[in-house]
Amino acid sequence: MLRVAIGKIALLCDEAPRLLQQQAAEGVRRASWLAGRELLRRTMGVTALPDMVTGSNGKPHFSGASPLWFNISHSGGDVAVLLGDGGSVGCDIERVRPRKNWPLLAEAAFSESERQAIAALAPADRLEMFWQIWTRKEAMVKQAAGSVWQMDTAASAGLFVSQYRIADTLLLALCTPRPHRLERDDFQLWGYETPVKIERLEQKTGAGEGNRTLV
């Protein structure tokens, strides 16, 4: 089982149950924390979330013998949840946007082949490729409960990574220990105008199908 949900932070905060709102600490991260927990609750289809604990690197997980694993990611006004029952999972969502000094980040965190893949593109296409690679690597780091500073060592050996473009402006990467292939019905969307275009991005290998829009 693998479920993916994406939602607007403002809507999820407004509609979160009172108990969850009371649990959200005040501060700059209140909205993203609250929206992430509310989206997770909706994805699970429960009235209240099970108890959670936080690992040494800050990644939360359900306490006890729960068979479910989850990961939450935020970018601007959007939040994503990945929920599965096959082991630790990681996800990263990013809105494609200008980022100061992104070539320096790529130099520090990307492999030589990844940097070459960016350089081979037309200048107008390089920023999105930077974000595609970034989200894939961060999803792998989060699956392993690592930190962004370990991105230069992220490797996909033994893991399965897929990537999607949402509504033309959001990139979502998913990392699981088992192969997965999601279709349109596997995505839950909260707070977006319908219909929302979801496109599966295929890594360029010289063979096989290209990007595919999920209907």
Side-chain angles (χ1 to χ4, degrees), residues 102-170:
W102 70 259
L104 296 179
L105 288 174
E107 184 69 27
F110 293 179
S111 68
E112 178 63 26
S113 62
E114 289 166 339
R115 294 194 297 270
Q116 289 176 356
I118 295 174
L121 297 175
D125 297 327
R126 292 174 184 170
L127 179 63
E128 176 164 337
M129 180 56 70
F130 163 81
W131 284 116
Q132 287 188 27
I133 296 172
W134 180 277
T135 54
R136 290 198 297 265
K137 293 174 80 72
E138 186 156 349
M140 288 187 284
V141 168
K142 293 178 70 179
Q143 188 273 343
S147 72
V148 69
W149 307 113
Q150 297 169 304
M151 187 175 285
D152 62 333
T153 63
S156 59
L159 300 173
F160 191 90
V161 180
S162 64
Q163 191 165 48
Y164 305 85
R165 185 185 290 117
I166 315 292
D168 295 325
T169 58
L170 289 169

Side-chain angles (χ1 to χ4, degrees), residues 95 164-170 192-193 195-199:
R95 183 167 294 278
Y164 305 85
R165 185 185 290 117
I166 315 292
D168 295 325
T169 58
L170 289 169
Y192 298 92
E193 296 182 2
V196 173
K197 179 180 177 182
I198 301 178
E199 183 181 12

Side-chain angles (χ1 to χ4, degrees), residues 32-33 35-40 49 52 59-60 70-74 79-82 89-93 142:
S32 60
W33 185 96
R37 295 315 193 268
E38 170 60 6
L39 187 58
L40 178 60
L49 289 171
M52 299 182 192
K59 182 179 180 179
F70 71 92
N71 197 220
I72 300 173
S73 178
H74 316 86
V79 57
V81 163
L82 177 60
V89 298
C91 71
D92 186 49
I93 190 168
K142 293 178 70 179

